[in-house]
Amino acid sequence: LPISLDELCNLYSQEYGDFKAKGLIQIYHLTTHQGRIQIEGNDSANGCTVISSLIIKNHFLSSGPGVSDDTIEFVIDSEAPPILKDIRQRLGLQPHAMIIPSDVQKYFIE
């Protein structure tokens, strides 16, 4: 029988809570966030497509089970901003313009 969306939401919410209670999932708050640094050309505002690609790259290169908080913070504050600036300049976009995923993929392929 098909399961309703409400039932799936309840099931997965309960499973998430169980995993947290067992310590299988841990939630930590980072000391940074996208767009925190407001220096033109050196910020990550509207950079989720670049940030997520770099996090995935770091995950593949990681020898552990995931990506450390320090690595995530480095990606957001240091690694992504110059790439965002370069992509926006190549496309003739404003400093905080949104970038579509296909433009980011094209940039990384080139």
Side-chain angles (χ1 to χ4, degrees), residues 4-109:
S4 73
L5 184 57
D6 285 339
E7 290 174 305
L8 283 175
C9 286
N10 289 334
L11 173 72
Y12 290 126
S13 291
Q14 184 174 352
E15 186 175 51
Y16 172 76
D18 291 345
F19 284 171
K20 277 182 60 179
K22 293 176 185 175
L24 298 173
I25 294 175
Q26 298 175 349
I27 306 298
Y28 298 99
H29 297 281
L30 299 174
T31 60
T32 193
H33 60 273
Q34 176 179 288
R36 180 183 68 87
I37 299 173
Q38 293 293 315
I39 301 168
E40 186 173 328
N42 195 35
D43 66 71
S44 57
N46 293 321
C48 55
T49 57
V50 169
I51 292 167
S52 61
S53 297
L54 293 172
I55 296 296
I56 291 166
K57 175 203 71 156
N58 281 283
H59 183 71
F60 287 147
L61 297 175
S62 171
S63 60
V67 180
S68 71
D69 291 352
D70 289 341
T71 299
I72 294 169
E73 291 175 357
F74 175 78
V75 165
I76 293 170
D77 289 343
S78 301
E79 196 173 8
I83 294 171
L84 286 161
K85 180 180 179 182
D86 192 30
I87 293 172
R88 288 179 176 127
Q89 285 177 340
R90 288 180 184 202
L91 297 171
L93 299 173
Q94 295 296 315
H96 293 99
M98 297 287 289
I99 302 172
I100 59 172
S102 60
D103 289 332
V104 173
Q105 293 166 356
K106 182 178 178 183
Y107 176 87
F108 284 127
I109 290 170

